[in-house]
Amino acid sequence: MHRSLLTSLLAVACLAGCATATTAAAADTLVAPDPAAQQLTALDGTIVWVSGAFGHQRLMQRAPDGTIAPVRNAPESRSYRSIDLGHDSDGKLRLTYLRCDTSASCKSLWDDLDGRRATFRNLTLPRCTISTAVSQWRTRLAYGLACTGSAANRKLTGLYTKNGSRNAVRLPRPKDAVKFGVTSIESVDLRGTRVAAIAADIFEYSFSQTVAGKDMRSFLAAASEGESDENARGLAIQSASTHWTLTDSTHTGDPNEALIFRQTGDCLQRERLVGAPDAEGFEAIDLAVDGATLYLLKPGSGIVTHTFTADPTLTCP
């Protein structure tokens, strides 16, 4: 059977009965029940997620005291394509998202979780649109741009950061992403002076670097070829040294898997959550990290805390 390039490069030696490939996560604790949950983000004890089917989506919030309610004054929308929690210039929580009220119109907004929101201005370039929710940390922003038109303009597609009133700066992509022409930025997270992103095409790369474009760390998070279909769906920075990625993986003839990756420096660890045989869905479709707490979004259930168990067959230097 053909296996994906991702599986080959990670040198997966674990067989079907391997103890690290679990069908259930016994330590998971449900903290936000919502069978319709679609995406999540978490920070400072607050969790925000998208709820509802495409065409009728709402933003929901779990406060640090456990209270669950809709995000104040946030309207129902056709779709919320991307969400993120960060800090504003005063250090207060700020939710950012892409809200798409029609198939051709998506607004990039910030929301203070107290009923006030506004559109981000002056971030795009001619014939370019924002491809992710803007991630904000104090005065700094990070986001993806997708550019069309001439070949020169298409080359402007990529990951950008902007600090205050200064001009936006495009950051580099991993060498292999450049080699294979992977330019589309589909997820972004910013914490302090560290930014992480997913560059996606047939191959998908998860990477992080400083806002100055230094200290690049990256890995192949997904590859869709032959009988394999993989999508890097979750991204979160935990600290200056650690970022997380969740990939949903389908191989013809095998159970579906949700792969949780943790990259700390040059050390890449992974946990496999294997679905039941013949199950169509995945054990998890998104993740978020808040301090030492890892959250997973489990389809049909809601948001759970999860204890990461690294695959011992993937050793670190």
Side-chain angles (χ1 to χ4, degrees):
M1 176 185 296
H2 176 78
R3 288 286 186 176
S4 72
L5 178 60
L6 169 63
T7 307
S8 299
L9 291 182
L10 286 176
V12 178
C14 189
L15 300 178
C18 178
T20 59
T22 57
T23 57
D28 289 356
T29 300
L30 186 66
V31 294
D34 184 351
Q38 303 294 318
Q39 305 172 53
L40 79 152
T41 179
L43 185 65
D44 296 348
T46 294
I47 307 171
V48 175
W49 66 96
V50 177
S51 180
F54 180 82
H56 301 279
Q57 294 189 336
R58 299 297 301 262
L59 293 172
M60 299 294 296
Q61 173 184 348
R62 183 185 188 274
D65 66 2
T67 302
I68 295 176
V71 171
R72 185 176 177 183
N73 292 342
E76 180 181 287
S77 177
R78 186 171 186 263
S79 70
Y80 285 91
R81 271 184 43 206
S82 179
I83 61 173
D84 186 70
L85 275 173
H87 286 156
D88 67 12
S89 58
D90 295 323
K92 298 179 181 178
L93 275 179
R94 172 161 285 187
L95 174 67
T96 53
Y97 47 81
L98 283 180
R99 191 184 76 202
C100 303
D101 296 319
T102 71
S103 60
S105 175
C106 294
K107 296 180 179 179
S108 179
L109 300 168
W110 61 260
D111 188 309
D112 68 358
L113 296 179
D114 197 28
R116 291 177 290 272
R117 64 191 49 79
T119 302
F120 283 103
R121 305 290 183 185
N122 303 318
L123 297 183
T124 61
L125 299 171
R127 300 185 70 86
C128 298
T129 58
I130 292 178
S131 61
T132 68
V134 173
S135 187
Q136 180 170 356
W137 198 265
R138 298 283 186 167
T139 61
R140 198 181 305 275
L141 308 176
Y143 52 96
L145 283 185
C147 302
T148 61
S150 67
N153 207 66
R154 293 196 301 272
K155 289 182 180 180
L156 297 177
T157 294
L159 173 64
Y160 287 78
T161 62
K162 180 177 172 62
N163 192 5
S165 61
R166 300 175 187 173
N167 291 333
V169 176
R170 185 173 53 167
L171 296 181
R173 290 169 289 136
K175 291 181 180 178
D176 283 346
V178 174
K179 177 181 178 181
F180 293 110
V182 181
T183 61
S184 177
I185 303 298
E186 296 198 351
S187 296
V188 171
D189 197 19
L190 175 66
R191 293 289 183 269
T193 58
R194 194 82 191 175
V195 59
I198 293 174
D201 202 308
I202 295 175
F203 301 149
E204 302 185 24
Y205 298 90
S206 179
F207 62 103
S208 73
Q209 60 193 301
T210 69
V211 293
K214 305 296 184 181
D215 191 28
M216 172 74 76
R217 303 165 190 168
S218 67
F219 64 95
L220 180 66
S224 298
E225 53 178 359
E227 297 175 345
S228 300
D229 185 22
E230 297 174 340
N231 296 278
R233 303 184 63 171
L235 177 75
I237 294 178
Q238 181 175 11
S239 67
S241 62
T242 301
H243 84 278
W244 297 74
T245 308
L246 182 137
T247 296
D248 283 341
S249 177
T250 298
H251 305 290
T252 301
D254 290 341
N256 290 345
E257 294 182 339
L259 307 174
I260 305 171
F261 296 98
R262 179 174 65 188
Q263 186 171 37
T264 302
D266 293 328
C267 175
L268 179 63
Q269 297 173 300
R270 182 206 60 194
E271 179 181 9
R272 299 168 61 213
L273 302 180
V274 181
D278 300 323
E280 294 183 359
F282 298 92
E283 290 294 301
I285 58 172
D286 201 0
L287 62 71
V289 178
D290 184 10
T293 303
L294 171 64
Y295 295 102
L296 297 181
L297 196 163
K298 296 179 72 69
S301 297
I303 298 164
V304 303
T305 59
H306 178 76
T307 300
F308 179 73
T309 303
D311 184 339
T313 66
L314 299 179
T315 59
C316 293

